[in-house]
Amino acid sequence: AQGITTITTIEEPKKPKKPKKTFAPIERGFEQSVEVETAPGLGYGNLFVSAEYIAGYRFNNYLFLGGGTGLEWYMSGGALAMPIYANARIYLLPKSRWQPFISLSLGVLAPIADSDGECYDGPQLHINPTVGVNYRINNKYSCYLNLGYMPRWLYYYNAPCLTIRLGFTF
């Protein structure tokens, strides 16, 4: 006798894949950021901390141009200075959540005073090339970390500094 055998396989339902988070393209327009910085330095007395504000125009996914200012406090000697500079930033992978970038700040560093209330020298060149990465929190906010190089000739110090900055863009 001939028989028919039926085999039934039951597959477990597949879990739906979590949709990949997508971000809207960066909109052209006004953009600003605040950041804190430190520079451990490569020479004696170069350690400082600063807080800065940068505002400018975001032209597209790749380019930001603006200007910044802030206060730098030199921890040894208590010296205070104010950078005033132009800032350009180029994003290398602008459509991803993690966006590597290169940046250049160029301007002047104006000494204000030391712990005795006296000013040293005159304005100095402020130049700070950096490389970093920006992390998009959502379509409006992001944070970033960058590393840079900054020569300093202010307050008896004649040594380059390695800078570390942490910032927030809105």
Side-chain angles (χ1 to χ4, degrees), residues 37-42 45-50 150 160-164:
E37 170 187 34
T38 188
L42 296 177
N46 246 357
L47 182 63
F48 71 87
V49 294
S50 74
M150 188 177 341
C161 299
L162 295 178
T163 62
I164 302 167

Side-chain angles (χ1 to χ4, degrees), residues 16-118:
K17 286 185 178 181
K18 191 176 181 180
K20 191 175 182 180
K21 185 158 185 161
T22 58
F23 294 97
I26 302 291
E27 292 184 23
R28 295 171 58 125
F30 182 71
E31 186 175 279
Q32 53 193 336
S33 61
V34 291
E35 60 186 32
V36 292
E37 170 187 34
T38 188
L42 296 177
Y44 173 74
N46 246 357
L47 182 63
F48 71 87
V49 294
S50 74
E52 297 182 15
Y53 172 77
I54 300 170
Y57 193 80
R58 183 74 179 254
F59 288 90
N60 53 34
N61 284 328
Y62 297 94
L63 180 63
F64 168 84
L65 295 175
T69 189
L71 287 176
E72 290 184 2
W73 178 52
Y74 291 76
M75 298 176 111
S76 58
L80 193 61
M82 182 174 69
I84 303 169
Y85 55 88
N87 177 263
R89 185 178 293 184
I90 298 172
Y91 294 89
L92 305 175
L93 295 172
K95 296 182 181 180
S96 68
R97 173 169 244 172
W98 293 92
Q99 303 169 319
F101 64 86
I102 56 175
S103 176
L104 176 65
S105 294
L106 184 60
V108 298
L109 179 70
I112 297 173
D114 70 358
S115 58
D116 297 330
E118 299 174 11

Side-chain angles (χ1 to χ4, degrees), residues 143-163:
C143 58
Y144 59 90
L145 176 69
N146 65 16
L147 303 173
Y149 167 83
M150 188 177 341
R152 280 292 183 257
W153 300 276
L154 196 61
Y155 306 113
Y156 312 120
Y157 312 137
N158 188 5
C161 299
L162 295 178
T163 62

